[in-house]
Amino acid sequence: MNGVELFFEVGGDGDPLVLVHGSWSDHDSWTPVLHALALRFRVLIYDRRGHSQSERPPGQGSRFEDEEDLAALIETLGFAPAYVAGSSFGASTALGLAARRPELFRGLVAHEPPLMGIVADDPELLPLMTATGEKFESVLAHLRADETLAGARQFAEEIALGPGAWDQLPEQRRETFITNAPTFMDEQSDPGWADLDLGRLSGYTGPALLTKGTESPPWFSTITTRLSRALPQAETHTFEGAGHIPHISHPDAYAERVTSFIEGNNRRS
């Protein structure tokens, strides 16, 4: 689809729901919530280009390509208009597509998109973002030096999940991190990976749920606030005790909140 071979699976019955994973991971990251969601919805999971079982084209990639892949899946598989739930970079992808192709969406769920470009003017966040940028560069330096394990561990423990997280991950998830490390490096080389046109996003007038975790870095809260101001029908939700991947750490709470959002919107429409 869209000129690239994408792995995908479809299951369940009901309103169409597409799940878009974040960096380093793949479709399997949705496994903890998949059964609960497939009981209510027709669910599409897939590996974004360059991840696991999907094709990794040569040359520099872009988030725009990921957005176009998402659009192709929604249209080709007969999901349009769909509910779309994205996590991290997957949330950035979903938001970017919603800004350009709002007709493809019945509703949008976005958890902690790393759109740091939209909060770069916040002086309170500047020291923290500078320090985080240095950690990102250190991870990338490991990857460029073919020190993939060291880079993956540093990203997991110092940026995404917290101290000690790497050794607590199941072996399969650690292997997925390592497999998809080159695509993370490619994503970071895309000049527009952290930016979004909020003016254009405001043209998406459909239902939107923006979520964050209490244990996540504070810039995600600021990003969520900026996005909620741009989206006319945005509501927000905070997962208590959760961080950057609530669909893994708090699967019951995540599945319940997504389900209530969709079913609540159906009752209103």
Side-chain angles (χ1 to χ4, degrees):
M1 294 184 196
N2 193 34
V4 65
E5 293 291 327
L6 298 176
F7 171 85
F8 66 89
E9 292 181 342
V10 176
D13 189 31
D15 292 317
L17 171 62
V18 185
L19 304 177
V20 192
H21 68 80
S23 301
W24 300 88
S25 63
D26 60 19
H27 73 281
D28 187 58
S29 67
W30 296 107
T31 297
V33 298
L34 188 58
H35 177 71
L37 293 175
L39 288 175
R40 305 286 189 92
F41 313 112
R42 182 177 179 230
V43 182
L44 165 64
I45 55 175
Y46 71 105
D47 291 348
R48 292 192 292 110
R49 64 167 58 207
H51 292 81
S52 296
Q53 298 182 63
S54 286
E55 184 181 354
R56 182 174 296 157
Q60 176 60 52
S62 69
R63 198 184 74 219
F64 178 82
E65 290 175 330
D66 277 288
E67 294 170 12
E68 291 295 286
D69 291 345
L70 176 57
L73 283 164
I74 291 173
E75 292 182 303
T76 303
L77 299 178
F79 270 63
Y83 289 99
V84 179
S87 174
S88 191
F89 195 94
S92 300
T93 299
L95 287 160
L97 181 61
R100 298 190 295 108
R101 300 285 309 277
E103 75 279 2
L104 295 179
F105 291 75
R106 291 180 66 179
L108 170 65
V109 181
H111 182 77
E112 297 187 346
L115 295 168
M116 289 177 280
I118 70 174
V119 297
D121 61 346
D122 189 320
E124 294 184 5
L125 292 179
L126 184 59
L128 182 59
M129 292 177 65
T130 299
T132 301
E134 292 172 353
K135 292 178 181 177
F136 267 87
E137 187 51 43
S138 178
V139 169
L140 293 172
H142 281 304
L143 300 184
R144 295 186 193 105
D146 291 327
E147 299 167 352
T148 307
L149 176 58
R153 178 186 290 273
Q154 183 179 11
F155 181 85
E157 300 196 341
E158 297 185 17
I159 298 175
L161 306 179
W166 180 258
D167 291 328
Q168 296 174 14
L169 289 172
E171 181 179 357
Q172 181 182 353
R173 295 203 190 281
R174 293 198 298 266
E175 291 176 355
T176 300
F177 256 73
I178 291 170
T179 297
N180 295 323
T183 300
F184 172 77
M185 186 163 54
D186 181 70
E187 289 172 351
Q188 295 297 302
S189 299
D190 172 18
W193 76 270
D195 295 321
L196 186 66
D197 185 338
L198 294 181
R200 193 170 190 183
L201 181 64
S202 66
Y204 172 72
T205 58
L209 173 64
L210 306 172
T211 65
K212 60 185 187 296
T214 57
E215 305 308 304
S216 293
W219 67 77
F220 284 121
S221 180
T222 307
I223 290 171
T224 298
T225 298
R226 294 282 177 94
L227 291 170
S228 67
R229 291 172 182 168
L231 289 163
Q233 289 199 62
E235 56 185 278
T236 61
H237 177 78
T238 301
F239 291 106
E240 294 294 330
H244 197 49
I245 48 173
H247 55 289
I248 292 178
S249 64
H250 294 67
D252 292 343
Y254 183 86
E256 180 181 347
R257 190 64 189 88
V258 171
T259 298
S260 63
F261 167 72
I262 295 175
E263 293 184 343
N265 177 63
N266 287 345
R267 286 193 296 270
R268 289 189 294 269
S269 60

